[in-house]
Each structure stands twice: as C-alpha cells, then as structure tokens.
C-alpha cells in the first residue's frame, strides 16, 4: 500500500522515435539511454510527486507509436486525465501528425482530458525544423499546454509532470472532474489515505506484464 492524496493516469502518445520512452525513463530514473529501441505495445511506470502538502501518484503509460500496435494502444486512452502528445522538433512529419494523435485520443478518452504538447529533442536546436512559436501557436489554438524538452539533458522533463499535476489540481479545486467516477483519470484518496494501487481501473494484470516486457523492433 502507498500513501497519496490523488491518483492520476497520464498517457504518452506520438510517432515512433520522438523520445517518449526516454522522457519517461529520465523522469523515473534520471537516465538517458542513447541507443534505446522502439517501445513494443505499452509500458508503465508509477511515481509520486509532492506539491505543497499534497501527494500525487502518477501512473504514466508510454504507448508504442508504430502503426502495428495502434489497435492495442488505443484502449489505454480511456480513463486518462492527461495525454502528452510528443513530437521531435527536428522532424516536421512528427509535428504534422500531432493533430491525428489528438483526434484519435479524443475519440476514446474522457471529455475532461487535458492535452499537453511536447516538442522533444530541444538539445538538437541546430537541426530544428519546427520553431518554438510553431509549437506554441498550435497548442494555443487547440487549448493545450506546451513545453519543449530534452530527454538527453533532462531539460523540462520533471517540469512537464509537475506543472500538469498543478493544472489538474486547479481543475479539481474548481470541480471540473467527477471524482466519484474513475473514468476521468483522477481518483481522490483523501478519505482512505492508504489504498492499494491495484484498485484503480487500469487493468492491473496488463500493467504487470507491460512494465516488464522486453523492447524489440516493431513487426
């Protein structure tokens, strides 16, 4: 059993090789893997963050971007409080696909889901194909939060999760979620501070298998 006040389900989506797994790895362990392989299926981590006197338990799901895993990963859009849509600032095609990922997620996710646009690989600024303002303007137009990150240097990695948790907590305080229904991706644990994480509606058997699954190339 783990102590926390709120349990939040986040999901990382976007094209293959934009750095979703490296963002997750750096947030969890502070490590960047230069030669990481594309994710297979879905991977999962949990981590606590504390804001003032409130502890959030983040369940973060990293989905494979390859088309051959699309039907499997779509099921993980459900019950998410936040979707991070990640693109590579050095690859315009990955930015052009952001709208597709948003639409695909909206088709399944709760209406209350928060979208955060992430331009990753900011350390490769000399090879940039998408300007900061391009990303910012797209985010503003679509009601998204926006950050640029570098999983290699750790720039803004922790910040994107902390700021998102702050934003969701603001929404909680304004009554924007139905906390009696886990489908919104936010679970209040204040009435029972010590709970079993398996009680949250995230298919516990899948979380066990996907967190230990080996990475290999897509079919």
């Amino acid at each position: 059993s783990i102590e926390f006040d709120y349990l939040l389900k986040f999901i990382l989506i976007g094209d293959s090789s934009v750095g979703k797994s490296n963002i997750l790895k750096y947030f969890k362990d502070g490590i960047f893997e230069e030669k990481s392989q594309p994710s297979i299926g879905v991977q999962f981590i949990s981590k606590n963050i504390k804001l003032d006197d409130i502890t959030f338990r983040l369940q973060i799901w990293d989905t494979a971007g390859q088309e051959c895993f699309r039907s499997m990963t779509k099921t993980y859009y459900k019950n998410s409080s936040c979707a991070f849509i990640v693109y590579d600032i050095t690859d315009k095609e990955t930015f052009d696909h952001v709208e597709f990922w948003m639409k695909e997620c909206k088709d399944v996710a709760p209406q209350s889901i928060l979208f955060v646009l992430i331009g990753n690989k900011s350390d490769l600024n000399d090879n940039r194909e998408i300007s900061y303002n391009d990303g910012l303007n797209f985010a503003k137009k679509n009601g998204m939060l926006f950050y640029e990150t570098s999983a290699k240097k750790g720039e803004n990695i922790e910040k994107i999760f902390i700021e998102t948790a702050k934003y969701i907590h603001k929404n909680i305080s304004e009554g924007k979620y139905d906390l009696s229904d886990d489908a919104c991706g936010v679970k209040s644990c204040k009435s029972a501070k010590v709970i079993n994480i398996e009680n949250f509606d995230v298919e516990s058997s899948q979380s066990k298998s996907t967190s230990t699954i080996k990475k290999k190339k897509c079919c």
Side-chain angles (χ1 to χ4, degrees), residues 14-20 36 38-39 65-66 88 91 94 120-121:
D15 285 7
S16 180
S17 301
V18 295
K20 300 186 299 294
S36 61
S39 298
Q66 301 99 315
D88 176 351
D91 186 344
T94 65
N120 192 37
K121 306 189 184 180

Side-chain angles (χ1 to χ4, degrees), residues 106-122:
K106 279 183 176 179
D107 287 345
V108 182
Q111 286 190 339
S112 59
I113 192 167
L114 172 66
F115 285 100
V116 182
L117 183 62
I118 304 295
N120 192 37
K121 306 189 184 180
S122 61

Side-chain angles (χ1 to χ4, degrees), residues 83-214:
F84 293 89
I85 305 182
V86 185
Y87 68 92
D88 176 351
I89 69 161
T90 71
D91 186 344
K92 185 177 183 298
E93 187 177 7
T94 65
F95 181 73
D96 291 341
H97 293 164
V98 167
E99 201 160 357
F100 162 80
W101 288 108
M102 180 184 291
K103 182 183 182 303
E104 183 156 275
C105 188
K106 279 183 176 179
D107 287 345
V108 182
Q111 286 190 339
S112 59
I113 192 167
L114 172 66
F115 285 100
V116 182
L117 183 62
I118 304 295
N120 192 37
K121 306 189 184 180
S122 61
D123 54 288
L124 300 177
N125 195 55
D126 290 346
N127 299 322
R128 177 188 289 272
E129 293 185 358
I130 301 298
S131 73
Y132 181 90
N133 284 336
D134 286 340
L136 181 61
N137 290 335
F138 183 94
K140 284 181 176 179
K141 180 182 175 183
N142 291 279
M144 310 168 81
L145 302 181
F146 174 66
Y147 301 94
E148 284 194 346
T149 59
S150 168
K152 185 170 187 176
K153 294 188 174 180
E155 292 174 356
N156 286 341
I157 298 299
E158 189 169 12
K159 181 178 181 177
I160 61 174
F161 294 101
I162 291 174
E163 292 298 318
T164 300
K166 284 181 180 178
Y167 196 91
I168 289 175
H169 185 244
K170 176 176 171 285
N171 286 345
I172 292 170
S173 65
E174 294 174 356
K176 293 185 177 179
Y177 302 108
D178 179 3
L179 297 182
S180 66
D181 184 0
D182 289 350
C184 68
V186 180
K187 185 178 180 71
S188 174
C189 310
K190 287 177 175 290
S191 60
K193 185 102 180 195
V194 180
I195 73 165
N196 189 331
I197 196 169
E198 303 273 334
N199 290 340
F200 197 45
D201 184 21
V202 291
E203 301 93 10
S204 61
S205 62
Q206 288 180 319
S207 71
K208 290 173 183 175
S209 61
T210 54
S211 62
T212 57
I213 195 164
K214 292 182 179 178

Side-chain angles (χ1 to χ4, degrees), residues 11-17 20-21 38-43 61-74 76-77 101 104 216 218:
I11 189 161
L12 286 159
I13 59 179
D15 285 7
S16 180
S17 301
K20 300 186 299 294
S21 297
S39 298
I40 175 171
V42 178
Q43 298 182 81
W61 301 77
D62 169 26
T63 65
Q66 301 99 315
E67 188 172 351
C68 57
F69 294 120
R70 196 73 49 78
S71 60
M72 184 206 314
T73 59
K74 278 183 75 171
Y76 289 85
Y77 300 165
W101 288 108
E104 183 156 275
K216 63 181 182 180
C218 175

